[in-house]
Structure formats: structure tokens, C-alpha cells
Amino acid sequence: MFGRKAMGRASPVLLFLLAVLFCFATYNILIMMRHDRGIKNLLGANTSGVLESDPIVEMPENVKKPKHVKSPFHVALTATAAPYSKWQCRIMYYWYKQKKDLPGSEMGGFTRILHSGSPDNLMDEIPTMVVNPLPEGLDRGYVVLNRPWAFVQWLEKATIEEEYILMAEPDHIFIRPLPNLGHEKYPAAFPFFYIKPEQNEKIVRKFYPEERGPVTNIDPIGNSPVIIRKDLLGKIAPTWMNVSLKMKQDPETDKTFGWVLEMYAYAVASALHGVQHILRKDFMLQPPWDLETGKKFIIHYTYGCDYNLKGELTYGKIGEWRFDKRSHLQGPPPRNLPLPPPGVPESVVTLVKMVNEATANIPNWDTS
């Protein structure tokens, strides 16, 4: 009887002690959880230290800039004095001006880097710096090899106010105001499905030796579009030029990489400098393979668009309706191109409409 009463009298004390212990344990668990989150935020990673990426942007969480901070970038594209290059540059510059000052844009100044060695008739229309081409014969007929050499010269000679640079191309059209997609040591680039360093490891190792790390360090990109910090590009550009020339001089590499050789060279040069890019699939679309413009920023019209009158793609065969920039090698396309037939994807319709708007508003269009 005495034992039962003692136990009864002790129950409130035990309950109190249990409550205190429970609160203490809960507090410690919360502190540990908070500490764990702090470690993850510090690393931008899970507890293994692997960079945690936004599923769309693929930017490490710990380098995302505050939305209110603006980081203007200079738009730069390399060009020749050929009519084919000129008319594309004029359309590209027109749409740059249309989008530059819209909300969400971080576009700064603009330069056409003309690697012909001589001024042309667009000097007053488009901000241009003239640089020298490679010595005759060095490009072996592959004019794109002049691109890295043009950037090397421009970076040495130009006064560039912006801290970032967008490397663009004449056949780019801005369809939305473009923000700065890169940040600090992480440039932003578009991933190309046909740039495959791992599948070409034997060749890549000629220029990226094993002691530099795994081939997966090489991003599946070209130099354009890329938004990159100016000082980083200043380091990469000479290497990019040298790797491009070495690749062109190597018969196996030249044969395997073909027209994308200079793209591989930029990807390898970046990896040699320890630079890896944020891969942005929304950076660009490429009709006719990408069917909708969606929320993407740039149309790249490198591929021909061929359709029959039913709106069916006839790629590889000239269509009853077509738009292909290579149809206009000797001069600009005419104004008011016919729109595609019903059933053609929105991306192609948008491309032709934007070309028509530009050509309708650019003075003296036929003089390109």
C-alpha cells in the first residue's frame, strides 16, 4: 500500500522530467536541422558537397544573384564584309535595339567585330570595330577560325564598360529582353546536342591531357551564345585561338569535328582554364527542330526550314515553302517574305515575321 502511494506521489515529478527531456531533445533536433540547412546553403550542395542546381537553370544556389542587382553585358558578334554576313548583322542589330531597353533586359553596348581588316558600308549603321583577319591561308578555308582571333584583338584594343560580354552571332534574333544569365565565375552557355566530348575522348585528349581531369570537365557548348565575365574571356580567348589552330592542323581532329571544330576548341579552352558554364536550354531555340519560342531568348536560324504546302517538314529536300539563309549568299532576302503555310510550327512563323518586320524598318535594305 505504501509503495503504491509513493509511486502515485512521484508520477507528476516523472511527467515533469519527461516533458523537460522531450523539449530539450526537440530543441536539439531543430538546431541540428537548422545547422544542416546552413551547411547546405554554404555549400550550395547536399551534404556530400555536390553542387545543387536549379532543375531548369542549372545554376548553383550559392551563386544566384539577388533579382534587384543588374549586371549589364556588352553584346559582341564577329562578322565578315560579305553580303551574306551583312544582312544578318543588320537584322540582328535591329532586334537588339528593340529589346535592349525593355523591362528584364540587361543588354548594354553593342559591337560588330569586323575581321576583314577594312571598314565597310555599315560602319555608320552598326557600332563596329575593324580587326585583322588571320594571315592568308592559316584558316585553310574555314573562315570561322577568325572568330577567336577577332575576339583576342577586340579585347586588347577596345574600351568595354560592361563587366560581362555576350558572344553572339549574326544569325541570332532576340525574341525577348535578355537578362544576364551568368554570374561571376560561372558563365552561361547554351548546350548543343552535337557537342559530345565524352564520345570523342580519344581526340579531345590530344588537347586536354588526362592530368587536367576527366573529359566531363568539358562543357557541351560552343562560344556562342555565351555570357561571360570580361576578365575570364580575356584569359580564355588566346587559348581558344591556339587550340582552334592546332585542331585545324590535325587531320583526324579536322575530319571528325568539321564545321563545329571551333566550338569544341572553345569548350576545351574553357576547361583548360577551369571554367565551367551554367547550361541554359532556354538561352536559344533552333527552328525547325524547336517548335515553339516559349520563354526562350534567342532564335538561331542556322538550319534551313523546308515544308510542303500541308505544313509538313521536308528536311533534306527543298520544300514548296522554304526559308534558308543560304538562299541569300549574294545579297539580302527580299522584303515581305511569304509566311509559311498552315500547320508549320510557331517558331518558324515567328522567325519569318521577325525577319519581315526588321527588313520593313531598316532603311536602304537592298544595299546590304
Side-chain angles (χ1 to χ4, degrees):
M1 191 73 176
F2 174 79
R4 289 180 182 174
K5 286 182 180 179
M7 288 177 67
R9 284 194 300 272
S11 294
V13 176
L14 286 171
L15 290 172
F16 174 76
L17 289 172
L18 287 170
V20 170
L21 287 170
F22 178 78
C23 290
F24 181 74
T26 302
Y27 171 79
N28 276 282
I29 290 169
L30 290 172
I31 289 295
M32 289 171 67
M33 289 172 66
R34 183 177 177 184
H35 177 67
D36 184 56
R37 283 199 300 271
I39 291 174
K40 288 184 178 180
N41 289 336
L42 181 64
L43 293 173
N46 55 32
T47 51
S48 67
V50 178
L51 282 173
E52 191 169 89
S53 298
D54 183 300
I56 298 175
V57 180
E58 299 187 21
M59 178 186 285
E61 290 290 342
N62 63 322
V63 300
K64 285 189 177 180
K65 64 187 177 186
K67 291 184 179 180
H68 65 277
V69 176
K70 284 227 168 191
S71 300
F73 55 85
H74 196 96
V75 179
L77 72 156
T78 57
T80 73
Y84 176 66
S85 178
K86 286 181 181 179
W87 68 257
Q88 293 175 55
C89 288
R90 297 182 82 189
I91 292 174
M92 197 271 196
Y93 185 58
Y94 172 86
W95 283 109
Y96 156 80
K97 292 188 293 182
Q98 301 306 306
K99 305 298 181 183
K100 177 181 181 294
D101 296 321
L102 295 180
S105 167
E106 291 182 82
M107 297 177 181
F110 187 103
T111 302
R112 179 182 65 132
I113 308 170
L114 180 62
H115 52 77
S116 63
S118 303
D120 65 5
N121 63 333
L122 296 182
M123 302 296 291
D124 294 332
E125 180 179 332
I126 304 174
T128 299
M129 174 174 278
V130 178
V131 297
N132 293 320
L134 288 168
E136 187 175 354
L138 195 58
D139 65 8
R140 301 191 178 190
Y142 181 54
V143 70
V144 184
L145 280 187
N146 286 279
R147 183 177 294 159
W149 174 224
F151 271 107
V152 168
Q153 295 175 81
W154 177 62
L155 290 165
E156 287 178 350
K157 297 177 181 179
T159 300
I160 307 162
E161 295 181 1
E162 299 85 354
E163 290 303 312
Y164 290 84
I165 292 167
L166 164 66
M167 291 188 284
E169 296 182 14
D171 59 353
H172 287 177
I173 291 179
F174 295 106
I175 51 177
R176 294 175 61 217
L178 181 59
N180 188 340
L181 304 177
H183 185 62
E184 294 298 334
K185 65 179 182 179
Y186 295 98
F190 177 79
F192 289 90
F193 70 89
Y194 49 79
I195 302 297
K196 300 176 179 180
E198 290 180 79
Q199 291 187 16
N200 293 285
E201 182 169 1
K202 177 177 174 288
I203 291 175
V204 167
R205 283 301 186 193
K206 295 181 180 183
F207 313 96
Y208 190 76
E210 289 188 14
E211 58 266 25
R212 302 308 294 263
V215 172
T216 51
N217 287 348
I218 302 171
D219 293 323
I221 60 171
N223 83 289
S224 178
V226 166
I227 298 177
I228 185 170
R229 214 170 62 194
K230 180 171 55 181
D231 61 318
L232 284 181
L233 182 57
K235 294 175 183 177
I236 292 171
T239 308
W240 171 29
M241 180 186 72
N242 290 331
V243 173
S244 295
L245 292 172
K246 288 178 181 178
M247 285 184 171
K248 189 64 180 174
Q249 291 163 3
D250 181 77
E252 183 185 21
T253 305
D254 187 23
K255 181 179 179 181
T256 301
F257 289 165
W259 65 274
V260 298
L261 180 147
E262 167 268 340
M263 298 172 70
Y264 270 100
Y266 175 80
V268 168
S270 298
L272 287 169
H273 286 276
V275 175
Q276 291 191 297
H277 297 68
I278 302 161
L279 303 180
R280 295 287 304 241
K281 290 184 178 180
D282 61 343
F283 209 152
M284 188 170 76
L285 70 142
Q286 302 184 100
W289 310 118
D290 295 304
L291 305 182
E292 297 179 351
T293 54
K295 294 184 177 180
K296 297 182 180 180
F297 296 101
I298 293 171
I299 291 179
H300 183 210
Y301 55 99
T302 189
Y303 295 105
C305 300
D306 287 278
Y307 293 87
N308 61 28
L309 296 182
K310 297 178 181 178
E312 298 168 335
L313 183 66
T314 62
Y315 194 76
K317 177 184 176 183
I318 294 178
E320 295 172 279
W321 179 94
R322 77 178 328 221
F323 175 77
D324 187 339
K325 65 178 184 177
R326 294 166 191 82
S327 300
H328 309 285
L329 295 174
Q330 304 305 319
R335 286 174 164 157
N336 197 27
L337 292 169
L339 293 178
V344 170
E346 177 266 338
S347 62
V348 178
V349 176
T350 298
L351 167 61
V352 177
K353 286 182 176 179
M354 294 186 81
V355 168
N356 281 345
E357 179 178 331
T359 61
N361 288 282
I362 295 173
N364 304 312
W365 173 245
D366 294 334
T367 63
S368 293

